[in-house]
Amino acid sequence: MTAVLTWQRLRDLKWSELQDAADGWGEVSNRADAARDRVSNEMTNRLAASQKGEAATAALGRLQRLDRNFEYLYTECGLVRTTLNSLAFELSGAQRRLKDALEDAANLRFTVHADGSVSYPAGGENITDGKELPGGSTNGSPLGTPYGPPLGAPSGGPLLAHANPHHAKAQAIADRILRAVNEAQDIDTRFSATLGKLKAAPGLTVDTKTWTDAAADAAAVRGAADDYLKKDIPNDKSPAERKAWWTSLTQEQREEYLAVYPNEIGNLDGIPSEVRDTANRDNLQLLIGKLEGQDGEKAKAQLAGLKSIDGQLRADPEKGVPRMYLLGIGDEGLGRAIVSFGNPDASRNVSAYVPGLGTSLDEAFAKNDVQRARDTAKGAMRFDKSSAAIVWLGYDAPQLPAEKVIDNAGVMFERDGKVGAVAYNDFMAGISATNQNPDPHVTAIGHSYGSFTVGQAAQRDGGIPGADDIILVGSPGTGADSAEDLGVGKDHVYVGAADNDPVTMLPSRDEASALGAGVVGGASAGAVLGLGIGGPVGGVVGGVAGGVVGGIAGYMSSEDESELWFGTDPAHEDFGAQRFKVDDGPRPYIDGQGATPAHSNYFHPVKDTVSAENIALIVAGQSDEISTEEPR
């Protein structure tokens, strides 16, 4: 393309040559991806498993750098391919509109000149002398020329010439020609700028700054390719329809979506888990690069969480633990992360655990909540090898500090859980759509405030898609009066509540108000709900410790012992669920481990062996083997 584009060059443009060039870049991208897989799976993993010592460590370091180099090549070459295909797509539209105008001119026997002007023959009748009006020529205007020359023009001049019926048609054609050329010129300028960004300096070292640049490159290509690709992503469709859409795409189309929109494809419920994992691993590097260039506590916290997840993805898998899949990742809101141990599409047993208050995408989540999913998968695989366990952070959970909870406890708590319930059900519908087993066994798990979110999801129309069992641990209530309200039958609702977990004995909101809604009710509720997750909660607890400890006795002696903050106590006989055995756990403060140590132990195979085993049995579809205890 030249600096000034002519209609002849646009007419003769072979945009298929751009597509051929795009195919070449796509081939390079695919080869880099294949090389990355070979380096990772056939070389790095084998070397790590078979060799030890300084030489092996040095070799592994070089292989890891090579892996990152190939990953960068895959990403950037994929972006070039899509940019060229997008350019061809948009130019083909401008060329089609030009050719339509030229065809109309030819059919009318008009002449299109080199400068884009259009000549037309004589026609019509002069109202003053009855003679035929002469022909003429007109130039295009992007907005058209609705008005003729000034009144008073001489007879037979431009004013009367415009009365020639051919003039208006010629003017319209000239306008269309000019608009098509200008459109193509704008497209060329825009894509030239985008392609200009997709280059690396000589002596490239793939480091954090490189990925920061790559994130900016991806954003630029997405902006240029929206008309070409993004408009067809079925964001407003059901998970089953999204799966059908993905299945209908050609291999080249899938590759382009993965290269340019890993953020969209990786977080789209209904897309197969292997595909989501591939997309999210690539998007993880772009997110790390993006956040490295930002200041602020939120960016730093999310960056730490992302790096921790990245390290776990790259680490050798723990013995007895299935492969790690990244099913969702993002920096919107408080952050998004969905991690599975085991492929949920291939496994007969699938569980999805929702964490509670104070959870966000940070290092504590990557350390604690991801470990709970890992422990659940490891435990379930002891009873059935075909098991996958997921931790789902697909919503913004309420946050500490406690004073923020106090201000809006009733509204904020319910709002976040209800919003999260919609997203959770979409995710679970996606799991149902992509699972390859004829009758998979699916378990929804909610811990702490996450049990309220799961409870709200279960009470929506149709319940939790695909769910056979529900597990509630450390629950302050679900908003339901009875286990029957959760859509799976009361015999399939399982509750774990440690005797020394004060979260499972919170007062109802009415009782909290009566006890003094400030410290004893709202503050203690907010504090103890989040204490099990770690982080800066200790300082909050110190401020309200007296209120918490003093309030526990009051909670236990309240008039309606079946009522908690969010409705009926799931561990109470009035709720009607099956209560499984858990360890009593350390007593708050008295045993020197803080305010709610028992609240954090339900999934831990060492600190609460009986609870972890019961959860694993339920997830593995062997709930008839669990150990139970009497409800409250």
Side-chain angles (χ1 to χ4, degrees), residues 371-387:
Q371 182 62 46
R372 288 169 182 164
R374 183 183 283 111
D375 287 338
T376 300
K378 187 176 182 180
M381 286 187 68
R382 288 171 44 220
F383 305 108
D384 188 340
K385 293 294 184 184
S386 184
S387 297

Side-chain angles (χ1 to χ4, degrees), residues 403-456:
E403 58 266 19
K404 292 184 179 179
V405 176
I406 297 170
D407 291 340
N408 207 15
V411 176
M412 183 185 71
F413 275 20
E414 289 194 358
R415 178 199 66 203
D416 292 339
K418 289 178 179 179
V419 171
V422 175
Y424 183 70
N425 278 356
D426 285 344
F427 174 76
M428 297 299 275
I431 292 297
S432 294
T434 57
N435 191 280
Q436 300 156 6
N437 290 275
D439 186 22
H441 172 249
V442 178
T443 305
I445 305 176
H447 173 236
S448 191
Y449 181 83
S451 68
F452 175 72
T453 303
V454 168
Q456 291 298 298

Side-chain angles (χ1 to χ4, degrees), residues 88 175 260 281 352 471 536 568 613:
D175 292 344
V260 182
R281 286 176 186 249
I471 298 175
T568 305
E613 180 161 309

Side-chain angles (χ1 to χ4, degrees), residues 262-333:
N263 57 325
E264 296 266 356
I265 301 304
N267 292 287
L268 197 62
D269 298 323
I271 300 299
S273 294
E274 290 276 7
V275 177
R276 292 181 71 164
D277 178 63
T278 297
N280 286 316
R281 286 176 186 249
D282 292 335
N283 192 41
L284 179 60
Q285 302 308 315
L286 297 175
L287 283 172
I288 289 174
K290 172 185 174 182
L291 293 176
E292 283 281 9
Q294 296 182 10
D295 294 323
E297 291 304 314
K298 175 186 170 183
K300 291 178 181 177
Q302 290 187 351
L303 182 60
L306 292 173
K307 286 185 173 180
S308 178
I309 291 172
D310 184 43
Q312 294 178 57
L313 287 167
R314 294 178 183 277
D316 295 335
E318 181 185 340
K319 186 177 181 180
V321 177
R323 178 179 178 267
M324 190 173 174
Y325 288 80
L326 190 58
L327 303 182
I329 200 72
D331 62 343
E332 62 268 32

Side-chain angles (χ1 to χ4, degrees), residues 164-185:
N164 184 326
H166 298 305
H167 174 269
K169 297 177 182 178
Q171 183 66 61
I173 290 172
D175 292 344
R176 289 161 60 194
I177 291 171
L178 181 59
R179 283 197 294 270
V181 172
N182 286 345
E183 178 188 2
Q185 187 69 62

Side-chain angles (χ1 to χ4, degrees), residues 225-589:
D226 277 356
D227 287 342
Y228 170 59
L229 287 177
K230 188 175 182 180
K231 63 182 178 63
D232 292 326
I233 298 176
N235 289 300
D236 57 346
K237 302 294 185 181
S238 71
E241 290 172 317
R242 293 167 183 167
K243 180 190 175 186
W245 168 77
W246 183 260
T247 302
S248 72
L249 298 178
T250 65
Q251 183 60 30
E252 181 181 356
Q253 288 173 321
R254 293 176 187 173
E255 290 169 0
E256 286 201 80
Y257 276 112
L258 287 172
V260 182
Y261 292 104
N263 57 325
E264 296 266 356
I265 301 304
N267 292 287
L268 197 62
D269 298 323
I271 300 299
S273 294
E274 290 276 7
V275 177
R276 292 181 71 164
D277 178 63
T278 297
N280 286 316
R281 286 176 186 249
D282 292 335
N283 192 41
L284 179 60
Q285 302 308 315
L286 297 175
L287 283 172
I288 289 174
K290 172 185 174 182
L291 293 176
E292 283 281 9
Q294 296 182 10
D295 294 323
E297 291 304 314
K298 175 186 170 183
K300 291 178 181 177
Q302 290 187 351
L303 182 60
L306 292 173
K307 286 185 173 180
S308 178
I309 291 172
D310 184 43
Q312 294 178 57
L313 287 167
R314 294 178 183 277
D316 295 335
E318 181 185 340
K319 186 177 181 180
V321 177
R323 178 179 178 267
M324 190 173 174
Y325 288 80
L326 190 58
L327 303 182
I329 200 72
D331 62 343
E332 62 268 32
L334 299 170
R336 302 287 185 267
I338 307 171
V339 176
S340 178
F341 291 91
N343 185 345
D345 293 352
S347 301
R348 284 191 300 271
N349 306 297
V350 182
S351 68
Y353 143 64
V354 182
L357 179 75
T359 310
S360 62
L361 177 55
D362 56 16
E363 197 166 12
F365 167 83
K367 176 182 177 182
N368 300 324
D369 294 289
V370 170
Q371 182 62 46
R372 288 169 182 164
R374 183 183 283 111
D375 287 338
T376 300
K378 187 176 182 180
M381 286 187 68
R382 288 171 44 220
F383 305 108
D384 188 340
K385 293 294 184 184
S386 184
S387 297
I390 301 166
V391 55
W392 181 85
L393 182 61
Y395 77 126
D396 287 336
Q399 299 294 301
L400 295 172
E403 58 266 19
K404 292 184 179 179
V405 176
I406 297 170
D407 291 340
N408 207 15
V411 176
M412 183 185 71
F413 275 20
E414 289 194 358
R415 178 199 66 203
D416 292 339
K418 289 178 179 179
V419 171
V422 175
Y424 183 70
N425 278 356
D426 285 344
F427 174 76
M428 297 299 275
I431 292 297
S432 294
T434 57
N435 191 280
Q436 300 156 6
N437 290 275
D439 186 22
H441 172 249
V442 178
T443 305
I445 305 176
H447 173 236
S448 191
Y449 181 83
S451 68
F452 175 72
T453 303
V454 168
Q456 291 298 298
Q459 292 172 80
R460 295 185 62 81
D461 289 344
I464 298 172
D468 299 288
D469 296 313
I470 292 175
I471 298 175
L472 309 170
V473 288
S475 177
T478 63
D481 295 327
S482 167
E484 288 286 3
D485 298 334
L486 302 187
V488 294
K490 66 178 183 179
D491 291 338
H492 290 274
V493 178
Y494 301 90
V495 177
D499 285 345
N500 290 327
D501 180 358
V503 176
T504 70
M505 291 176 280
L506 290 175
S508 68
R509 273 177 253 179
D510 289 342
E511 290 166 345
S513 178
L515 287 167
V519 173
V520 178
S524 62
V528 297
L529 276 168
L531 281 168
I533 63 168
V537 181
V540 176
V541 176
V544 296
V548 174
V549 176
I552 291 173
Y555 303 161
M556 293 180 175
S557 61
S558 62
E559 288 186 12
D560 190 349
E561 61 180 17
S562 70
E563 288 298 306
L564 295 182
W565 189 269
F566 293 117
T568 305
D569 176 5
H572 196 274
E573 62 180 355
D574 289 355
F575 195 72
Q578 294 200 59
R579 186 183 182 190
F580 58 85
K581 281 188 178 180
V582 302
D583 190 85
D584 289 344
R587 293 168 294 179
Y589 292 107

